[in-house]
Amino acid sequence: MHQLKSPIVPCLWFEQEAESAVNFYAAVFGEATITSISRYGKEAAEYHKKPEGTALSVNFTLHGQEFLALNGGPMYHHSPGISFFVTCETPEEADKVWKALAEGGSVLMPYDQYPWSEKYGWLNDRYGLSWQISLGKLSDVKQKFVPSLMFVGQKFGKVKTAINFYLEIFQPASLEGIARYEEQDPDETGKVKHAQFYLGTNTFMMMESSLAHQFDITPAVSFIITCDTQEEIDYYWDKLTQGEGNEVQCGWLYDQYGVSWQVVPSMLSAGMRDPEKAGKLMAAFMPMKKLDIRLLEKAIAQ
């Protein structure tokens, strides 16, 4: 069992709008910092047939939380399968954030009063990323932006087993609580209406619905686990791919519930910010599935 040493960082996939999306979120939410931008150097640009200097990724923080925005191409698209639950502590903030995100976006649940919040709404923004905006107390959720996973279709009914799966892998971890559908709710009584749990210092939420939703979880939101050693990489890789999980490439994997994770060494992020090393690293890790620190270090030493 390994202790989580770093926060789990959400990675947001865009076709080519990562920089503009980050600037938009910074304007909407405030308290934003762009910590680094990785751009295609000559070798990497040639390898990926991109103009030299094109942004590859943007590391940024919102209200102290880390995110990575990635220009990955048209392969993946955002869906409400993974949204971000945003707690606003004043009505004015909630109104402002909702209005800004709704411009050019699409509403999933109208911004209105609900039993769980005086002001709440769910939408997809202009980039397709899904947000739940709620008036509430940060002390109840412990972080401003909480990833919220929605299980529908064949995943319906599996939320509790999924939570147990994650609680067993990550340490420290704990379950805050589970609210279940009651007879008056428009879904199957006893199934999970809302759950909140913690993996390390990270808050997560999960829900499930038997209704006919036309979406599923996609890799457009993935979760980055940063590891200092190969032993840690091996641990998370093996645990998360067990059962019906699947290895992808470049340190990416799907777990058995279709959630995407990136298991990466800490030396990789520093190397990718160096234009001279980035191309060598990309050439080295592109053929890999699980990342090998020894081979990555060998590549940048050449």
Side-chain angles (χ1 to χ4, degrees), residues 71-130:
N71 279 329
M75 190 183 309
Y76 303 127
H77 300 281
H78 290 284
S79 90
I82 300 181
S83 59
F84 287 91
F85 188 97
V86 184
T87 299
C88 300
E89 293 200 289
T90 68
E92 293 77 17
E93 181 193 8
D95 292 348
K96 171 182 172 292
V97 167
W98 176 267
K99 182 179 179 181
L101 290 175
E103 186 176 348
S106 57
V107 174
L108 302 174
M109 289 182 66
Y111 186 58
D112 205 344
Q113 182 174 353
Y114 293 88
W116 57 88
S117 177
E118 292 183 10
K119 288 178 178 285
Y120 169 88
W122 192 344
L123 54 72
N124 298 331
D125 69 22
R126 64 185 66 177
Y127 300 101
L129 189 57
S130 197

Side-chain angles (χ1 to χ4, degrees), residues 88-238:
C88 300
E89 293 200 289
T90 68
E92 293 77 17
E93 181 193 8
D95 292 348
K96 171 182 172 292
V97 167
W98 176 267
K99 182 179 179 181
L101 290 175
E103 186 176 348
S106 57
V107 174
L108 302 174
M109 289 182 66
Y111 186 58
D112 205 344
Q113 182 174 353
Y114 293 88
W116 57 88
S117 177
E118 292 183 10
K119 288 178 178 285
Y120 169 88
W122 192 344
L123 54 72
N124 298 331
D125 69 22
R126 64 185 66 177
Y127 300 101
L129 189 57
S130 197
W131 304 89
Q132 299 180 61
I133 309 304
S134 182
L135 178 62
K137 296 179 180 179
L138 274 175
S139 58
D140 290 339
V141 290
K142 296 183 169 58
Q143 66 188 46
K144 184 76 171 176
F145 307 94
V146 179
S148 179
L149 282 59
M150 180 74 157
F151 278 17
V152 300
Q154 293 184 343
K155 295 184 179 70
F156 176 71
K158 297 181 179 180
V159 161
K160 187 60 171 66
T161 56
I163 291 174
N164 289 336
F165 174 73
Y166 298 130
L167 294 181
E168 289 176 4
I169 293 172
F170 297 94
Q171 290 297 323
S174 62
L175 176 64
E176 172 72 16
I178 293 180
R180 298 185 181 276
Y181 290 110
E182 300 177 356
E183 289 186 6
Q184 68 271 23
D185 293 321
D187 216 310
E188 188 175 328
T189 302
K191 297 301 183 182
V192 178
K193 179 161 59 175
H194 183 270
Q196 183 171 308
F197 59 100
Y198 308 108
L199 304 179
T201 59
N202 310 270
T203 309
F204 283 82
M205 295 176 178
M206 294 187 76
M207 304 174 288
E208 59 191 356
S209 174
S210 65
L211 304 182
H213 297 287
Q214 302 301 312
F215 60 79
D216 200 353
I217 289 171
T218 81
V221 175
S222 58
F223 299 103
I224 303 171
I225 306 167
T226 302
C227 303
D228 292 333
T229 67
Q230 190 65 44
E231 182 187 8
E232 289 177 75
I233 290 175
D234 294 346
Y235 170 80
Y236 289 113
W237 190 267
D238 293 345

Side-chain angles (χ1 to χ4, degrees), residues 61-75:
T61 65
L62 293 174
H63 292 255
Q65 288 182 234
E66 296 181 57
F67 292 85
L68 174 68
L70 175 68
N71 279 329
M75 190 183 309

